[in-house]
Amino acid sequence: MSTPIPFGEWLPDQPPIGLQGSVTITNVIPDLNSYRPFPSLVQYSTSLGARCQGGVIATDAAGVNYNYAGDTSALYRLTTQTFSDATRLVGGAYTTAADDYWEFANWGNTVIGINGFTDLPQQISLGAANFVNLSTGVKTKHIATMRDFVVFGNVSDTAANVYRVRWSAINNPASWTVDAATLADFQDLPSEGGPVQKVLGGEYGVVLQQRSVWRMLFVGSPLVFQFDPIHKAIGAYVPQGAIRYQNFSFFLAEDGFYAFDGSALDPIGRGKVDKFFYADMNTNYFQRIHTAIDPINKLVMWAYPSGSTVGGNPDKLIIYSWAFKKWALVEGLNIQLFLQSISTGYTLDGLDVISTNLDTGIPWSLDSVQWTGGQIILAAFNSSNRLSRFNGSAMAATLETGEFQLFEDNRAMLTEVRPEAVGLSASVTIAVINRNNLTESASVGAVASVPNATGFVQTRVSARYFRIRLQTSANVNFTHLIGVRVKGVQAGNR
């Protein structure tokens, strides 16, 4: 009789013994009772002039889609697969600091971009060729849209004020003079909370200081916005590690990962991944941490540089499924910026820019979402400053079970391991990790390929404690990896 051993929840902060989860789950997407493949990164565009420091997607009133990006000195618009320079014509190149980012807000049929205290905010009408200065007299590190206002955080107006939140006139992002009639105004937050690290918009706003969380509610004249303190000891560790999707805000604090639903904080990484993350993250490049949302798979993901980073670029993603409250790790990357892209669509004639040979020259099948406009696709800028999209074949995946005993208080001879998987396009490999007591290090057995004819691996490993490691190769697609079934006898028996 075989025993099912599932690939449980990834819990690297917990010890392996008796664990219903696993300490190793890489390059997969969490599902309810299984894991799905994580797609590889496919280069898509021409390059920017330097490291990407921000990007945004937008859709105009006619349904035309746009991708914009910025580096240290220029802003760009993506047309088909080519980035064209969209830098302002008056004022010339920008001077974005190395640790600052371009942040953007969609406002009606325009996009507004900011890059810190060095340049005026920039605005472009969707479809126009170039950005223009938004002559607000106010510079800022952070931007969001809240109801009928554009909101800045961590600003420089008459002087730099890192604790200040400032908002435009109602329905007029070009008007910033404080005026009770237009409702333009500002609020200075307590300095003990530290600098404003992020403003997140919506029907209500979320303002994250370094050590405080605030809810920002529109109440009308004379206050305009009411600031409610949510927490005065927790805040955003790094500005680009905070993001909002629908009614949830996700952010990385000094002690781990949190979700905020508008009223309460949920420490989603506590006891699960927080300790692992801070031990693995390279603190020399912590400002490179940034986050993106995958709405299709209901994931929030943080890209970060580990101890293996090349030049400070993020090389790993730590991903959280808010639908199933499960985590996973993606590794083996080398990216500058992690973001959403949106497909702009192709006509049949437009395929000529990809290839004139429809049989062999196009990189995607003709029914791919790449050809239809309006599809949000998870993306990143690679180390060559090029937009790349996570829509390739499956990455090589590694999953381990938790540590288990076949017979309580007895050693066992493990004789058979059978993977439980759906839709595998090729064979997988199995290794038996084992030890005889909890004080010794585990041994990793020989790696064996699962024959397609039998669907299982025969083995003869004698021990008290076991873990099973399953690995797929790159480009081996599958639908679900569920776990393994094992057979064994008590040691000394046949």
Side-chain angles (χ1 to χ4, degrees):
M1 181 177 177
S2 62
T3 301
I5 309 292
F7 297 127
E9 183 180 359
W10 183 48
L11 300 172
D13 288 358
Q14 297 300 312
I17 182 64
L19 187 64
Q20 295 300 309
S22 172
V23 294
T24 303
I25 299 286
T26 62
N27 296 352
V28 288
I29 295 172
D31 210 320
L32 180 60
N33 293 308
S34 65
Y35 291 89
R36 295 182 284 112
F38 197 94
S40 56
L41 198 59
V42 178
Q43 186 168 284
Y44 181 77
S45 77
T46 59
S47 64
L48 307 186
R51 175 175 69 91
C52 183
Q53 291 178 249
V56 70
I57 59 177
T59 303
D60 68 15
V64 179
N65 301 298
Y66 301 86
N67 294 267
Y68 297 100
D71 60 23
T72 182
S73 61
L75 287 167
Y76 304 85
R77 172 187 168 184
L78 182 68
T79 304
T80 311
Q81 290 178 257
T82 301
F83 275 110
S84 56
D85 195 328
T87 301
R88 61 190 175 186
L89 297 177
V90 177
Y94 309 109
T95 53
T96 311
D99 286 338
D100 280 337
Y101 282 84
W102 282 101
E103 291 187 13
F104 298 90
N106 291 294
W107 178 265
N109 215 45
T110 69
V111 164
I112 301 171
I114 55 91
N115 67 339
F117 295 167
T118 56
D119 292 292
L120 286 170
Q122 299 295 293
Q123 179 173 291
I124 192 168
S125 297
L126 299 180
N130 295 88
F131 282 83
V132 297
N133 289 334
L134 185 64
S135 299
T136 63
V138 182
K139 300 173 183 178
T140 185
K141 290 181 179 288
H142 308 297
I143 185 173
T145 302
M146 297 182 195
R147 295 175 63 98
D148 300 317
F149 300 84
V150 172
V151 179
F152 291 166
N154 195 327
V155 305
S156 176
D157 38 31
T158 56
N161 190 328
V162 299
Y163 314 115
R164 178 164 292 179
V165 177
R166 186 161 180 169
W167 54 92
S168 70
I170 188 168
N171 285 317
N172 188 356
S175 175
W176 291 81
T177 302
V178 174
D179 188 333
T182 68
L183 304 186
D185 207 340
F186 66 87
Q187 175 71 49
D188 290 340
L189 300 178
S191 61
E192 59 265 26
V196 173
Q197 298 278 64
K198 198 73 169 180
V199 287
L200 302 171
E203 281 299 301
Y204 66 90
V206 177
V207 180
L208 296 166
Q209 289 180 272
Q210 194 172 48
R211 292 177 297 276
S212 293
V213 179
W214 299 82
R215 182 177 52 224
M216 186 175 171
L217 295 174
F218 178 74
V219 294
S221 184
L223 290 179
V224 188
F225 284 101
Q226 172 181 302
F227 288 78
D228 298 325
I230 302 300
H231 207 293
K232 292 189 176 182
I234 293 172
Y237 175 67
V238 60
Q240 305 310 318
I243 199 166
R244 183 165 180 175
Y245 180 69
Q246 295 180 346
N247 204 41
F248 283 92
S249 299
F250 301 94
F251 64 96
L252 173 65
E254 290 183 345
D255 65 339
F257 296 95
Y258 285 85
F260 177 55
D261 64 0
S263 59
L265 294 178
D266 181 8
I268 56 177
R270 183 177 298 171
K272 296 184 176 184
V273 301
D274 288 344
K275 291 180 180 179
F276 165 86
F277 174 81
Y278 276 106
D280 197 44
M281 186 263 295
N282 190 325
T283 56
N284 292 324
Y285 302 103
F286 76 97
Q287 290 287 352
R288 297 284 187 93
I289 297 170
H290 48 274
T291 185
I293 293 289
D294 178 353
I296 304 301
N297 291 301
K298 297 179 175 59
L299 304 174
V300 55
M301 313 184 186
W302 287 266
Y304 71 96
S306 75
S308 302
T309 179
V310 176
N313 279 343
D315 56 318
K316 294 184 180 181
L317 308 177
I318 189 166
I319 68 179
Y320 177 68
S321 165
W322 67 78
F324 304 121
K325 302 186 185 302
K326 294 168 65 176
W327 293 85
L329 184 71
V330 175
E331 55 188 12
L333 303 173
N334 183 10
I335 62 176
Q336 300 172 345
L337 190 82
F338 188 44
L339 73 171
Q340 291 180 346
S341 69
I342 190 166
S343 59
T344 52
Y346 292 82
T347 63
L348 188 60
D349 292 337
L351 294 181
D352 287 346
V353 302
I354 306 297
S355 175
T356 56
N357 189 328
L358 295 182
D359 294 323
T360 62
I362 60 173
W364 313 287
S365 65
L366 289 176
D367 60 356
S368 169
V369 297
Q370 291 286 347
W371 310 116
T372 58
Q375 301 294 324
I376 293 177
I377 305 168
L378 198 65
F381 278 84
N382 64 18
S383 58
S384 299
N385 311 329
R386 297 173 184 266
L387 180 67
S388 304
R389 290 173 168 175
F390 288 97
N391 56 7
S393 56
M395 297 181 69
T398 301
L399 299 90
E400 289 181 11
T401 67
E403 197 165 60
F404 61 91
Q405 291 179 272
L406 280 180
F407 304 100
E408 188 175 355
D409 298 327
N410 286 289
R411 288 164 51 85
M413 177 72 74
L414 196 66
T415 59
E416 181 180 304
V417 181
R418 182 186 300 271
E420 290 196 311
V422 178
L424 274 173
S425 64
S427 178
V428 299
T429 62
I430 293 291
V432 178
I433 304 170
N434 63 94
R435 57 180 174 170
N436 288 308
N437 61 69
L438 299 179
T439 60
E440 69 180 18
S441 299
S443 298
V444 181
V447 175
S449 182
V450 178
N452 290 333
T454 63
F456 64 87
V457 167
Q458 289 183 320
T459 183
R460 291 181 63 82
V461 178
S462 179
R464 189 182 299 273
Y465 303 100
F466 301 93
R467 299 201 308 267
I468 307 299
R469 176 182 295 164
L470 180 149
Q471 292 180 291
T472 68
S473 299
N475 305 320
V476 173
N477 291 300
F478 54 88
T479 306
H480 295 278
L481 296 177
I482 302 164
V484 297
R485 283 186 171 269
V486 299
K487 287 184 178 180
V489 296
Q490 291 194 40
N493 297 329
R494 300 288 294 180

